[in-house]
Amino acid sequence: MTATVPPERPTTDQAGRVELPPDTRFPDRRFVNDDLLPVPVARRNWTTYNFVALWIGMAHCIPSWTLASGLVALGMDWKQAVLTIALANVIVLLPMLLTGHAGPKYGIPFPILARASFGVRGANLPAMVRAAVACCWFGIQTWIGGQGIFLLLGKIFGGWADATEVGGYPWTLWLCFVIFWVLELAIIYRGMDTLRRFENWAAPFVLVGAVVLLIWIANKAGGFGPLLHEPSKLGWGADFWKVFFPGLMGMIGFWSTLSLNIPDFTRFGKGQRAQVWGQTLGLPTTMTAFALMSVLVTAGSQQVYGAAIWDPVELAAKTDNVFGLLYALVTVFVATISVNIAANVVSPAYDLANLAPKLINFRRGALITGVLGVLVMPWKLTATPELYIFTWLGVVGGLLGTVAGILIADYWIIRRTVLHLQDLYVTGGRYWYAAGWNWRAVVAFAVGGVLAVGGSYSTLDAKGAKAGPFPVDGIIPVLKPLADYGWAVGLSTSLVLYVALMAGKGGHDRS
């Protein structure tokens, strides 16, 4: 098949940013629309602060606040929990920076970058995996945000929890969920510039809100309670490591989603310096500080109320000050929206647009994401720490780590960061492979995925009942020992296998 390649050649500026000529046209619209085209250099204007603000806005949310609580519930002390979270975010930062490099250089989103390795059509495979995960996360965050608003409004007005139940929950909770859902989609529907402006002011607002909560509880407690002095139930021996490694993989899984689709944001960056410094200053530091803050606040709650309260919304609801409740309400609203629309709507919007560019643009993809996020019934995904950390985050991390390994291998090892922009949008070009699919990437994904998540297993709760959807001995029992290291297994396996398969005849293409 002859490639439908326009005659114009891309240009490269002094900063190494590649751009298609403004009059470039692609006759075959099956694989391109305006949202998937490279961002013009003039619009690549996100600074270091924009990326720092993006990460502060995404990290400061209720699920990340309660990550430490999940690890403590599994037997760690607070120091072990914070250390695990800090290490996980340093580790996940590396693939984040590696995949993010293509954004400022070429101005392309994640599904277009995936075409270089999986093929113009084959890129839909990792894109749909990422979109499915994002839709689930969108539902989880929206449900948690709706619960927060429901609890705080109930404290202000009273009687909300006693409303008639629908589907096992008060109808007032469903109302908060729907209102929150609509407002999120309204913001993202206005586009990425609106998102950037929202994150710029949301980040400091949420940060101040967390500090205010810390000051309030410290003042009320007159210090911090016994939580800070409670020893680990696991110690530092064999029992600790059994929880540490799956816990670490779960914490990595928390942001393994963004390690794939970070080009969706870095494509707007002014250059590599902005995205590298912005992410380095924004991700590991913020997540570690937020985890530490959650521990201190929870310790104060134990001193005041006699029990550790890990949920910041539940803790804020303890106050009888109407102004304080309203401030907490707005903070929860802003914090949850800032992470949800950035982390869980942007990616599937692009991914769905890549699936059918002629029918779905960015805005339609966002609306589809919103609908799917409700259909996954997110209230069932956060039931217990075991289900949330080991099953949900662990399996997600394993699959997405596998994709990340292929992207990194292709972009950095095979192509040495050299892509041919035009061929990413046409049939018959360098990235067309066989009918639009690169079988090598598919094989690497399949093998890495099976090794990463094939041994997924469920643990037993305190009553001896199975806490999760998988067999206790693992889906594939012989692979069970690998399940606790799913992200690392998936990434390393797919990376090595992909490089080996591409090293054969026709594998390398840096021309």
Side-chain angles (χ1 to χ4, degrees):
M1 182 181 293
T2 303
T4 313
V5 181
E8 302 88 349
R9 302 292 299 174
T11 58
T12 305
D13 65 7
Q14 293 182 340
R17 296 178 297 181
V18 181
E19 178 179 40
L20 290 175
D23 57 347
T24 300
R25 297 291 181 270
F26 294 94
D28 190 345
R29 305 298 291 181
R30 291 177 300 164
F31 305 107
V32 63
N33 62 29
D34 291 342
D35 294 316
L36 298 176
L37 284 172
V39 174
V41 168
R43 289 179 50 212
R44 299 179 203 176
N45 53 15
W46 285 34
T47 63
T48 298
Y49 174 76
N50 293 137
F51 288 109
V52 171
L54 176 72
W55 275 113
I56 292 176
M58 289 196 295
H60 286 173
C61 60
I62 297 172
S64 62
W65 180 278
T66 57
L67 282 179
S69 70
L71 294 174
V72 170
L74 295 172
M76 291 188 182
D77 65 18
W78 73 270
K79 296 184 291 294
Q80 292 171 331
V82 172
L83 174 64
T84 302
I85 292 170
L87 181 59
N89 283 279
V90 170
I91 293 173
V92 82
L93 176 65
L94 180 59
M96 199 88 67
L97 297 178
L98 292 176
T99 54
H101 184 279
K105 183 172 183 178
Y106 295 103
I108 54 176
F110 156 65
I112 302 303
L113 173 62
R115 290 180 179 183
S117 52
F118 282 85
V120 174
R121 282 179 171 152
N124 285 313
L125 173 60
M128 287 301 99
V129 171
R130 175 64 183 96
V133 171
C135 289
C136 291
W137 265 122
F138 175 79
I140 289 173
Q141 292 276 15
T142 303
W143 178 253
I144 291 175
Q147 282 182 314
I149 293 174
F150 166 78
L151 183 62
L152 293 174
L153 286 178
K155 180 72 175 182
I156 295 173
F157 298 112
W160 279 53
D162 300 325
T164 303
E165 289 192 356
V166 177
Y169 296 95
W171 69 264
T172 45
L173 174 55
W174 291 114
L175 177 63
C176 292
F177 175 67
V178 171
I179 291 174
F180 198 74
W181 178 84
V182 170
L183 289 174
E184 287 176 317
L185 293 183
I187 292 175
I188 196 62
Y189 193 78
R190 295 180 63 86
M192 291 295 288
D193 284 339
T194 299
L195 172 63
R196 176 175 60 89
R197 291 192 294 268
F198 180 81
E199 295 291 346
N200 283 347
W201 71 264
F205 183 89
V206 174
L207 183 59
V208 169
V211 172
V212 167
L213 185 61
L214 176 61
I215 294 173
W216 170 68
I217 196 65
N219 181 66
K220 195 175 183 66
F224 295 106
L227 177 68
L228 298 184
H229 306 289
E230 290 182 1
S232 169
K233 298 176 184 177
L234 306 171
W236 288 95
D239 290 340
F240 169 74
W241 298 111
K242 289 178 182 178
V243 174
F244 171 76
F245 284 109
L248 180 69
M249 293 301 107
M251 297 305 103
I252 291 174
F254 191 81
W255 286 125
S256 63
T257 52
L258 268 293
S259 69
L260 286 187
N261 75 286
I262 196 64
D264 293 343
F265 301 95
T266 60
R267 69 191 298 226
F268 297 96
K270 293 187 69 173
Q272 298 301 335
R273 181 183 179 87
Q275 74 102 0
V276 170
W277 278 106
Q279 295 201 79
T280 303
L281 294 174
L283 173 58
T285 55
T286 299
M287 286 294 291
T288 303
F290 210 47
L292 179 59
M293 197 176 300
S294 75
V295 168
L296 293 175
V297 170
T298 303
S301 73
Q302 188 179 45
Q303 181 81 345
V304 175
Y305 301 107
I309 302 174
W310 287 99
D311 187 340
V313 176
E314 181 182 349
L315 180 59
K318 292 287 186 180
T319 182
D320 293 322
N321 185 293
V322 175
F323 175 79
L325 286 168
L326 289 173
Y327 183 81
L329 180 67
V330 175
T331 302
V332 168
F333 174 79
V334 173
T336 307
I337 283 188
S338 66
V339 62
N340 216 12
I341 59 179
N344 305 317
V345 180
V346 171
S347 174
Y350 283 125
D351 297 337
L352 291 166
N354 186 70
L355 181 65
K358 292 176 67 175
L359 301 175
I360 304 174
N361 57 18
F362 180 82
R363 288 181 170 84
R364 290 174 184 169
L367 294 177
I368 294 173
T369 299
V371 173
L372 294 177
V374 175
L375 296 179
V376 298
M377 295 186 291
W379 45 89
K380 295 184 180 292
L381 292 177
T382 55
T384 65
E386 292 84 1
L387 178 63
Y388 184 51
I389 293 178
F390 287 173
T391 303
W392 169 241
L393 291 181
V395 171
V396 164
L399 285 176
L400 299 185
T402 302
V403 177
I406 295 171
L407 295 186
I408 293 169
D410 184 80
Y411 183 70
W412 285 95
I413 300 175
I414 301 299
R415 308 194 188 282
R416 309 294 169 85
T417 75
V418 176
L419 297 177
H420 299 268
L421 268 180
Q422 295 155 307
D423 284 3
L424 291 168
Y425 298 92
V426 300
T427 61
R430 291 176 176 83
Y431 313 116
W432 188 244
Y433 299 105
W437 289 79
N438 181 7
W439 65 266
R440 301 169 185 84
V442 175
V443 169
F445 173 75
V447 174
V450 169
L451 292 178
V453 305
S456 297
Y457 62 93
S458 296
T459 56
L460 299 177
D461 60 21
K463 298 180 180 179
K466 188 176 67 171
F470 303 124
V472 174
D473 293 331
I475 301 173
I476 304 175
V478 71
L479 298 179
K480 183 179 178 180
L482 299 179
D484 291 345
Y485 315 93
W487 182 82
V489 169
L491 187 145
S492 57
T493 300
S494 63
L495 187 151
V496 172
L497 182 56
Y498 181 80
V499 170
L501 291 174
M502 291 292 285
K505 183 179 179 180
H508 289 71
D509 176 20
R510 303 189 200 109
S511 59

